[in-house]
Amino acid sequence: MTLMQPLPGFRDFLPEDCAKRNYIFARWRRVARRYGFVEWEGSPLEPTELYKKKSGDEIVGQLFNFTDKGEREVALRPELTPTLARVVAAHEREFKKPLKWFSIGQFFRYEKQQRGRLREHFQLNCDIIGENDLAADIELVALCIDVLRTFGLTEKDFVVRISDREFWTGFLRERNVPAERWDELLQIIDRSGREPRDKTAEKLGKLAEPVFATLHSGGKSEKLDRLIGGLRARGLADFVQIDVGIVRGLAYYTGIVFELFDRAGKFRAIAGGGRYDNLIAQLSDGAVSLPALGFAMGDVVLSELINEIPRAREAMQKAVASDRKIDIYVVIAKEERRADALAQIQQLRDRGYRVDYPMTPTKVARQFQAAEEAGAALALLYGDEWPQVKVKNLPTREESLIDHGALLDSVAKFFNVGSSA
Ligand code: HAM
């Protein structure tokens, strides 16, 4: 193992990567807040038991878990939903329902590393707690679509595939399949789209033919019709498609489920979610029972899709470049003026401007070059002109001399005019 690289499936974020990540986080946060969701955060380390109880075998097999120094069995969180259920059950009385909560955080799954799948990733989670009505499912799917739309992506770029787990639980009930086997069978059906038909058929045994027939026939229900109708009323129907093959790998889902994919079918799911009306009751041993639904969107596949679509990629590059820019570069042309310059730099920074300057004596031409490279709008030169300061508008090259006492007002005027133009 080399110490010069991160562990397999882990990433370092260099400044450019961090800027891209912040671009994604800012849009996630903005749209969630637009829908009236409030931000929260859970603990990153949990008792392993929390996931064993209800997430399902697939995710338990991928846990980063260990025994801590206090002999506790713990795991880095692979997802947020069980933590959310725990927190809501513990604090239920403190909040009016429905709760609309979102969170942005890092998650850990020991997966086989492949395109779109790492061992850490960031997710936006949006959940609604305490609302039974289908209006909440419509709101959640609309939010998921609108998050992607803010990246410049359209119905030509991605699709939300929607289903209802009750199709399959009804199907298994009709065939008298014992409830203990449902989780396992639902996971097999969930994976059927990604596996050779023979392999799925072997696992399903005598259920294989009716499962394939159901998958083939598509799905229809009054509930799904109403859901699509609700999205149509918002002008979002072109973003969705009914697909009974969507079952979801996690064990706790109970009703409407959905996954978001790129239209070209190049990547794995960008987001996934659905209703989990029993999870809070199950985790709190019946102490609190609340219907719930939510989704999570990952940063890894989303970044790949943004890079793939020129419109979205250019918007990100533009935002990242403009975010990197500073406002003002202070050129220290005479070392005797350094103390005066630093006093004004402090005042400018106190007023919120992004200001940089050379920390050691540097040729004036090099300082101007640094100002250009940093994308500064103004250069302030401290030299022979003191007590006046030379102010240079870098894009237009215009120069003027301002008395240092009037400098702060003059800078404020420049940026106010600039920002309202
Ligand atoms: P999930 O489908 O397991 O759902 O994950 C959601 C999204 O996280 C995926 O669509 C994918 O973009 C991303 N993701 C998951 N694993 C990885 C990985 N190893 N590498 C990169 N990206 C990954 C959940 O986690 C549910 N808790 C969502 C939810 C919230 N359901 C209700 N509320």
Side-chain angles (χ1 to χ4, degrees):
M1 188 168 72
T2 163
L3 295 179
M4 295 301 285
Q5 299 285 334
L7 286 166
F10 283 77
R11 296 169 289 178
D12 295 317
F13 288 83
L14 298 178
E16 169 103 7
D17 308 315
C18 237
K20 288 180 179 165
R21 195 182 73 180
N22 289 342
Y23 171 82
I24 290 176
F25 287 3
R27 272 152 189 77
W28 278 355
R29 189 168 274 121
R30 189 191 299 164
V31 184
R33 288 166 59 90
R34 235 186 245 167
Y35 271 70
F37 281 61
V38 293
E39 189 161 0
W40 77 286
E41 176 60 301
S43 163
L45 195 67
E46 289 279 21
T48 306
E49 197 56 30
L50 185 67
Y51 305 107
K52 286 201 171 144
K53 252 185 158 170
K54 219 41 210 167
S55 288
D57 296 342
E58 186 172 357
I59 223 164
V60 169
Q62 296 169 339
L63 286 177
F64 269 94
N65 57 323
F66 57 97
T67 311
D68 76 4
K69 288 177 181 159
E71 301 297 318
R72 296 176 200 88
E73 292 303 322
V74 294
L76 282 172
R77 58 183 181 181
E79 58 153 338
L80 189 64
T81 315
T83 302
L84 174 63
R86 170 176 68 68
V87 169
V88 167
H91 297 273
E92 189 255 329
R93 285 157 191 266
E94 296 162 38
F95 302 100
K96 277 217 186 82
K97 290 356 139 252
L99 305 182
K100 299 202 294 181
W101 284 10
F102 80 94
S103 190
I104 297 173
Q106 198 170 20
F107 298 86
F108 305 88
R109 298 183 190 182
Y110 199 94
E111 292 208 49
K112 210 167 112 208
Q113 196 187 332
Q114 52 188 294
R115 187 164 192 195
R117 282 293 176 275
L118 301 175
R119 289 181 179 166
E120 54 73 24
H121 67 285
F122 288 87
Q123 286 185 353
L124 162 70
N125 274 261
C126 298
D127 292 87
I128 303 176
I129 315 286
E131 183 54 73
N132 267 314
D133 201 280
L134 191 73
D137 304 67
I138 298 171
E139 181 79 351
L140 193 73
V141 175
L143 167 57
C144 193
I145 294 170
D146 277 346
V147 170
L148 278 207
R149 286 180 59 231
T150 54
F151 292 98
L153 299 166
T154 70
E155 70 278 13
K156 294 195 176 66
D157 306 316
F158 71 94
V159 59
V160 186
R161 302 220 178 101
I162 305 185
S163 179
D164 187 347
R165 255 210 185 185
E166 285 180 359
F167 268 142
W168 292 108
T169 46
F171 171 97
L172 296 171
R173 197 177 294 116
E174 267 169 31
R175 284 164 182 78
N176 296 319
V177 176
E180 310 83 76
R181 288 203 61 210
W182 288 11
D183 281 355
E184 169 210 337
L185 290 166
L186 289 171
Q187 286 209 9
I188 298 169
I189 300 167
D190 177 60
R191 273 188 235 124
S192 66
R194 286 171 265 142
E195 243 175 25
R197 193 182 164 101
D198 292 358
K199 205 166 163 194
T200 307
E202 197 186 309
K203 289 185 194 162
L204 288 173
K206 62 180 191 318
L207 283 175
E209 278 323 308
V211 164
F212 288 134
T214 309
L215 284 171
H216 187 70
S217 67
K220 225 181 147 27
S221 77
E222 188 260 338
K223 201 204 290 181
L224 284 171
D225 283 348
R226 276 196 292 137
L227 181 90
I228 303 286
L231 291 166
R232 182 166 298 112
R234 300 175 184 220
L236 298 176
D238 291 345
F239 288 91
V240 294
Q241 190 182 304
I242 297 196
D243 181 347
V244 276
I246 300 295
V247 185
R248 302 281 295 136
L250 295 158
Y252 45 69
Y253 292 108
T254 52
I256 295 286
V257 280
F258 59 93
E259 284 185 322
L260 202 147
F261 290 91
D262 62 302
R263 283 269 183 200
K266 266 189 148 170
F267 306 118
R268 303 186 57 160
I270 303 160
R275 262 204 185 265
Y276 49 98
D277 285 344
N278 302 331
L279 184 65
I280 295 173
Q282 281 166 347
L283 286 181
S284 65
D285 291 325
V288 179
S289 176
L290 282 169
L293 63 159
F295 73 83
M297 181 179 293
D299 69 322
V300 180
V301 190
L302 174 60
S303 303
E304 288 189 345
L305 183 61
I306 291 174
N307 280 324
E308 185 81 5
I309 310 287
R311 185 183 341 99
R313 186 177 59 232
E314 281 154 26
M316 178 171 71
Q317 283 164 343
K318 217 171 131 192
V320 165
S322 101
D323 187 58
R324 206 177 35 216
K325 285 185 183 160
I326 63 163
D327 299 314
I328 300 167
Y329 195 91
V330 169
V331 175
I332 302 174
K334 276 263 158 12
E335 279 306 309
E336 300 91 289
R337 298 276 74 84
R338 182 171 284 272
D340 300 315
L342 281 168
Q344 291 213 296
I345 288 170
Q346 182 70 27
Q347 291 171 329
L348 289 163
R349 286 178 173 165
D350 281 349
R351 279 165 178 72
Y353 298 109
R354 295 169 79 177
V355 187
D356 210 354
Y357 70 98
M359 282 190 269
T360 52
T362 307
K363 286 201 176 102
V364 170
R366 289 268 309 271
Q367 295 189 50
F368 273 106
Q369 197 185 339
E372 298 281 353
E373 282 165 9
L378 273 190
L380 305 180
L381 184 136
Y382 291 73
D384 288 337
E385 299 80 2
W386 187 262
Q388 291 188 308
V389 176
K390 196 192 272 183
V391 178
K392 183 167 179 180
N393 178 333
L394 288 171
T396 65
R397 318 254 146 220
E398 270 172 75
E399 287 183 359
S400 51
L401 282 175
I402 309 277
D403 186 80
H404 78 278
L407 187 78
L408 292 175
D409 283 348
S410 184
V411 167
K413 221 184 215 161
F414 173 85
F415 281 104
N416 283 339
V417 172
S419 63
S420 62

